[in-house]
């Protein structure tokens, strides 16, 4: 309903605002008279038209206001007139601009606006790039606290050396330097005194961290170098100066950069710069020596890009949902970041590549002899391509920033780790170990021929279904300690491939677990062309029955997965008579191991004692005497180890007497064990007869 008069108390602040906006206190729509608002006739007519008219397709601006008594009401938004503007940017070389909030009450930001074209050129040539600021745009605005000008003040001062004194450019340059020196006078005075002593206070800590500087920050006790991207003071529970850093890494396909962070914790007083958790490397007491060592390590790290078999001895790191776990491992490992990321995607990372994927990855097509038909265009056949990384060599600066760790798999621990590069060594394959294998000549010759042919990628015949039956499966069966596991180890050394040894405990006895675990293991073994040994595989090979569905599932899964495995697989068993019939057709070579003969034991004694530190001088007759003890190969190794410890304890050399002393103890144990088993069997027979 239209009203002819509306009154409300107008506060002193409201009247003051109207005085500021309209000069004499006159609003186009209202008259101010002793604190009362009187609406003129024109306004009343316009409001009556709005209230009685239809809804308009317009956007209306309203202010929600309050009377002195707190009653709210809505009124037209008053359009504040913009005063006539001066082109400040063309009249002043520098402008210090305060950006106000919408109510013109608070200062939100303060920026130094650079307007002089001479200064723009100097800043662009001297600084170029700085985090959060671009010096290549038309408008250059430097936000408070202007740290960039402090970091580059010396370079900016030198940039004016070629300017003509008295020129406009010289005057603008002199203005900028005066402003910098005035703005940072106190900071410069305090820091110069501290830097002479190699020290710095926490409030001025930012002054030594200029972006793009090389930062020295050890990680896990390893010397590391990074490039500084930016910094900022952090508050809260862990106050300090947070450094955003970059380093060089390999993600399985590219060399590139990754980001990380380092917090230099807050401290009181002044601290020595070289004792901080991260600091510019120039403040290191042996900066040049450290750089040289980091570059050398970076070259070694670069050589491990791709897939490499190595030995490792030391602490390795495993990333788990609960954090980082440390393992002390010793043995063969494979360095393979690509496979690690494929199988452990949650722990993968990417890098900002130095080269594009199209440039770095080339695909070579290999032509197999059975696919070539004499056609000149045979290279275009749709064969399986072999991928080869083509990576440009790293520069010294990139090697300086390289990671100290590589990702890979430990065959001893059966875990994925991050390995320290300095702890990696060559694989050191023992290709001559096949000659030391104690095995009948015919069997040894057969195994050597099969694995040699298989590893040379000779194309034999395939199954009707492509991809089936391309593996080499050998079953080794016989009593314990006669060389079954040693055969697999020897074949791996002979082929110069790692031995991946698993047991039924690693695979599990649950059908779904077996399927995923076995598939994953065969995937890794195929990728690395490793020799796979499944030790004590009886539980997966036993004959299926009509009643045990769980066991049937295990056997079926095992049969299906092995059908498509293309590598070398050894299965060891002590109960070959319980095998399921389906396995018989899938076994390429069944090797039976009998109890060791005296000649076999003699050779085992000679092989083990030849590797004993310090050596052992025995005659042929003494070796014949040792071979008379009816013990297996594993027991012979244990006897030598125990006798060596006995000799070291007494400070004497290992000889036949100490070996026979331990053998006697071993034979007594075997005798007692056989006697116990005999009694137990007899008691069991009596119990059965009593029934």
């Amino acid at each position: 309903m239209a009203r002819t008069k509306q009154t409300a108390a107008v506060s002193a602040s409201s009247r003051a605002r109207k005085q500021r906006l309209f000069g004499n206190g006159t609003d186009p729509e209202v008259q101010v008279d002793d604190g009362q608002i009187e609406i003129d006739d024109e306004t009343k007519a316009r409001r009556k038209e709005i209230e009685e008219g239809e809804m308009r397709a317009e956007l209306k601006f309203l202010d929600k206001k309050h009377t002195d008594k707190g009653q709210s009401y809505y009124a037209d938004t008053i359009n504040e007139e913009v005063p006539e503007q001066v082109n400040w940017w063309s009249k002043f070389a520098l402008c210090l601009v305060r950006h106000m909030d919408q109510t013109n009450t608070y200062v939100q930001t303060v920026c130094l606006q650079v307007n002089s074209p001479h200064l723009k050129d100097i800043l662009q040539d001297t600084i170029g790039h700085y985090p959060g600021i671009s010096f290549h745009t038309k408008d250059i605005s430097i936000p408070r606290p202007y740290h960039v000008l402090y970091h580059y003040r010396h370079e900016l001062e030198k940039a004016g050396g070629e300017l003509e004194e008295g020129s406009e450019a010289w005057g603008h340059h002199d203005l900028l330097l005066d402003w910098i020196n005035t703005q940072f006078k106190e900071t410069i005075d305090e820091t110069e005194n501290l830097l002479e002593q190699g020290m710095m206070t926490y409030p001025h800590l930012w002054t030594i961290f200029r972006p793009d500087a090389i930062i020295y920050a050890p990680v896990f006790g390893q010397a590391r170098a990074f490039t500084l991207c930016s910094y900022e003071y952090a508050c809260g529970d862990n106050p300090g100066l947070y450094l955003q850093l970059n380093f060089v890494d390999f993600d399985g396909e590219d060399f590139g950069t990754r980001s990380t962070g380092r917090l230099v914790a807050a401290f009181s007083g002044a601290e020595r710069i070289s004792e901080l958790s991260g600091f510019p490397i120039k403040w290191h007491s042996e900066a040049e020596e450290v750089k040289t060592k980091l570059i050398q390590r970076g070259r070694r790290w670069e050589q491990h890009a791709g897939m490499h078999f190595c030995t490792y001895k030391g602490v390795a790191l495993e990333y788990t949902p609960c954090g980082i776990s440390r393992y002390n491992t010793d043995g063969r490992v494979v360095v393979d970041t690509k496979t690690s990321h494929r199988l452990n995607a949650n722990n993968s990372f990417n890098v900002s590549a130095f080269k594009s994927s199209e440039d770095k990855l080339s695909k070579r097509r290999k032509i197999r002899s059975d696919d070539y038909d004499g056609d000149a265009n045979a290279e275009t056949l749709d064969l399986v391509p072999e991928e080869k990384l083509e990576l440009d060599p790293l520069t010294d600066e990139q090697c300086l920033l390289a990671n100290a760790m590589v990702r890979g798999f430990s065959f001893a621990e059966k875990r994925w780790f991050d390995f320290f590069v300095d702890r990696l060594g060559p694989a050191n394959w023992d290709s001559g170990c096949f000659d030391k294998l104690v095995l009948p000549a015919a069997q040894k010759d057969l195994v050597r021929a099969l694995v040699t042919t298989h590893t040379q990628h000779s194309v034999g015949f395939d199954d009707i279904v492509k991809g089936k039956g391309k593996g080499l499966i050998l079953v080794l069966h016989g009593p314990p300690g006669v060389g079954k596991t040693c055969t697999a180890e020897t074949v791996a050394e002979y082929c110069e491939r790692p031995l991946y040894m698993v047991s039924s405990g690693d695979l599990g006895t649950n059908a779904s677990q077996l399927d995923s675990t076995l598939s994953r293991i065969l995937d890794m073994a195929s990728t690395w062309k490793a020799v796979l040994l499944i030790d004590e595989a009886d539980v997966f090979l036993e004959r299926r029955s009509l009643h045990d569905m769980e066991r049937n599932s295990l056997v079926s899964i095992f049969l299906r997965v092995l059908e498509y495995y293309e590598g070398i697989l050894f299965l060891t068993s002590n109960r070959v008579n319980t095998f399921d019939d389906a396995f018989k057709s899938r076994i390429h070579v069944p090797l039976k191991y009998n109890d060791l003969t005296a000649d076999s034991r003699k050779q085992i004694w000679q092989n083990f004692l030849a590797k004993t530190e310090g050596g052992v001088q025995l005659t042929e007759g003494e070796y014949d005497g040792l071979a008379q003890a009816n013990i297996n190969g594993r027991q012979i190794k244990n006897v030598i180890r125990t006798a060596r410890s006995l000799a070291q304890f007494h400070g004497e050399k290992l000889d036949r007497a100490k070996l026979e002393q331990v053998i006697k103890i071993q034979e007594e144990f075997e005798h007692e064990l056989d006697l116990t088993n005999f009694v137990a069997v007899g008691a069991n027979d009596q119990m059965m007869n009593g029934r």
Side-chain angles (χ1 to χ4, degrees), residues 316-327 344 346-347 407 415-418:
L317 306 180
E318 180 187 30
Y319 291 90
T320 66
C322 299
I324 298 177
S325 300
R326 292 167 172 80
Y327 286 82
N344 305 286
N346 290 337
N347 291 328
R407 292 199 162 176
R415 294 175 181 270
W416 289 97
F417 290 126
D418 274 14

Side-chain angles (χ1 to χ4, degrees), residues 486-549:
C486 184
T487 301
E489 294 171 340
T490 303
V491 167
E493 293 291 327
Y494 175 74
C495 300
E496 296 188 355
R497 295 181 177 183
L499 176 66
Y500 191 177
M501 185 186 304
V502 296
S503 64
S504 57
D506 298 318
L507 296 175
T509 56
N510 176 272
S512 59
Q513 179 185 357
L514 174 65
D515 197 355
S516 61
T517 305
L518 184 59
S519 298
R520 184 183 179 91
I521 289 174
L522 295 181
D523 182 356
M524 292 188 288
S526 298
T527 301
W528 302 321
K529 296 180 172 59
V531 174
L532 180 60
L533 168 63
I534 300 180
D535 205 12
E536 304 296 338
D538 307 276
V539 66
F540 307 113
L541 305 177
E542 285 188 8
R543 189 176 296 108
R544 286 169 285 187
S545 67
L546 296 175
H547 308 291
D548 194 342
M549 301 305 296

